[in-house]
Amino acid sequence: MRAAEGPDPSGAVQARIDSLYRQDGRRVFAALVRLLGSFDLAEEALHDAFLAAAAQWPQQGVPANPVAWLVSAGRFQAIDRLRRDRRFRPWDAALDDTLADPAPGWEQQQDARAEIADDRLRLVFTCCHPSLSEEARIALTLREVCGLATEAVAAAFLVPTPTLAQRIVRAKGKIAAARIPYEVPGPAELPARLASVLRVVYLVFNEGHAALAAGLSDEAIRLARLLQQLQPGPEVQGLLALLLLTDARRAARRNAAGDLVPLDRQDRRLWDAALIAEGCTLAEAALRQPGFGAYALQAAIAAVHAEAADAAATDWPQIIGLYDALLRLEPSPVIALNRAVAVAMRDGPEAGLALVQPLLPALAGYAATPAVLADLCRRAGRLEAARLHYRAAATAARQPAERDHLLRQLAALGG
């Protein structure tokens, strides 16, 4: 720690502390989870560490490595609390390691600094463990890795706050009971575990994109960038590219009245050119590497859309070819439905309807299916069928903006 610099009359030190909390608070939290073995203890220790910084740094100066200082302070505060409470708690032998005093200056050691740098990745893999339900993985990642308030996560996913809170509590309990290791998995387990992590990030982004909730989309992109930094690979690159290329259209997705604007009607001058350039570069790099998968191919599809000057200039044959490759890699009725939409853009709506019909049994319950059918029937002039499908699509829509758009499409048909 630097020599004392006296009080902080300008508030500069407090401003630095506030900035560290916003930018590095979850790094400190992740390190404390590793050291304390408990999400709840780590959350308390995080707040204690920043309170200690607010009390000491204005007088003593900001330390050379503030993140390591905060981790050390939080750990010692937690140890003191545990020792005070020890006589009131059932004895747990697992606390022995937690209560052990670390060597003096441990937080300044090179291996300790490296561990702190890797702790966020460990936390992501813990929160996305395959033994947890998909809903629990998403909730836990947003709450513990991203630091979003429980109320904000619940609102984004349209569930009551107590329900979301119980989901998080159960997930934490399962991690503790099953002693799920706080670590990045080894080479044998990494591909399957990484797939779980990437899916959580993808679902978080999709939820934010569908709800026009910029906060969720931004958190997903931050997580994808973190994974790209700490665990690079073609599918991580592909996922980040896909998110960036999709998010580049954010400003064009609503008109001046706040209504949802479909992709083919968006003002492409509003698309973010910098995100498109970065996303296209990442997508190309992912496809040049061995082992690329579904995210890289989806990113390539998004790149073709992004590079078209307008909807009419879209290279639909190339998009269909990419969907063919995606179907070979990951056969899915949802991917086949998206390919049918692309075929309809190239060959006409009747061609698309012919491809969708055989898929309908497998797509039962998929909310996007009636919207696709409604659009294809409208374009094919099957207006009564289009009205039927628009009504079904509006009923199935989860987000108000999407429901309003579908109802406007229905009203435009008359009758």
Side-chain angles (χ1 to χ4, degrees), residues 64-357:
N65 189 338
V67 170
W69 188 99
L70 289 161
V71 171
S72 180
R75 182 172 190 263
F76 279 114
Q77 294 271 8
I79 288 172
D80 286 345
R81 182 183 293 108
L82 286 171
R83 285 173 174 164
R84 287 195 305 269
D85 296 347
R86 193 171 182 174
R87 55 184 170 169
F88 303 112
R89 293 170 178 254
W91 176 249
D92 182 355
L95 288 177
D96 283 342
D97 291 337
T98 301
L99 293 173
D101 287 318
W106 72 274
E107 71 278 5
Q108 300 300 331
Q109 297 169 12
Q110 188 62 41
D111 57 346
R113 293 200 298 273
E115 279 196 299
I116 291 172
D118 290 343
D119 278 328
R120 288 176 298 170
L121 191 60
R122 293 187 183 97
L123 185 59
V124 171
F125 275 98
T126 301
C127 291
C128 296
H129 195 278
S131 67
L132 303 175
S133 71
E134 193 166 84
E135 293 84 358
R137 279 180 262 162
I138 293 171
L140 203 58
T141 299
L142 287 172
R143 177 67 192 88
E144 307 301 344
V145 179
C146 302
L148 297 185
T150 304
E151 294 80 4
V153 180
F157 286 90
L158 305 178
V159 298
T161 298
T163 301
L164 197 283
Q166 290 171 5
R167 192 175 292 169
I168 291 172
V169 168
R170 285 196 297 269
K172 290 179 181 177
K174 186 164 188 177
I175 288 172
R179 298 192 181 275
I180 290 174
Y182 181 71
E183 64 186 14
V184 176
E189 297 180 10
L190 184 59
R193 291 285 302 280
L194 182 60
S196 174
V197 171
L198 295 181
R199 178 163 175 77
V200 167
V201 177
Y202 178 68
L203 291 173
V204 168
F205 179 86
N206 276 355
E207 196 68 29
H209 186 72
L212 298 170
L216 278 184
S217 299
D218 290 343
E219 290 299 338
I221 290 172
R222 273 193 281 270
L223 282 171
R225 288 194 186 281
L226 174 63
L227 289 169
Q228 169 67 6
Q229 174 190 349
L230 300 176
Q231 195 70 46
E235 275 297 81
V236 177
Q237 265 187 327
L239 176 63
L240 178 56
L242 175 61
L243 303 193
L244 294 176
L245 289 165
T246 305
D247 197 56
R249 306 194 295 264
R250 182 189 296 186
R253 295 188 66 224
R254 281 187 184 272
N255 61 20
D259 300 331
L260 198 63
V261 181
L263 174 62
D264 61 337
R265 301 178 204 168
Q266 290 176 9
D267 182 352
R268 300 188 178 207
R269 294 171 298 180
L270 298 176
W271 289 5
D272 190 317
L275 289 184
I276 289 172
E278 184 183 1
C280 288
T281 299
L282 286 167
E284 291 171 7
L287 288 176
R288 285 197 298 267
Q289 298 177 61
F292 72 81
Y295 293 119
L297 286 169
Q298 290 179 76
I301 293 168
V304 176
H305 282 292
E307 290 170 341
D310 52 46
T314 304
D315 189 344
W316 291 110
Q318 184 179 3
I319 288 177
I320 293 167
L322 288 166
Y323 272 124
D324 289 338
L326 187 56
L327 271 172
R328 288 192 295 271
L329 186 68
E330 193 174 283
S332 155
V334 173
I335 294 172
L337 178 67
N338 291 332
R339 180 185 180 277
V341 172
V343 170
M345 296 303 295
R346 183 189 67 180
D347 301 335
E350 293 291 355
L353 284 167
L355 291 173
V356 172
Q357 288 298 326

Side-chain angles (χ1 to χ4, degrees), residues 344-382:
M345 296 303 295
R346 183 189 67 180
D347 301 335
E350 293 291 355
L353 284 167
L355 291 173
V356 172
Q357 288 298 326
L359 300 172
L360 293 180
L363 290 168
Y366 181 56
T369 305
V372 170
L373 287 169
D375 185 64
L376 292 177
C377 288
R378 176 188 60 81
R379 290 168 49 204
R382 303 184 188 184

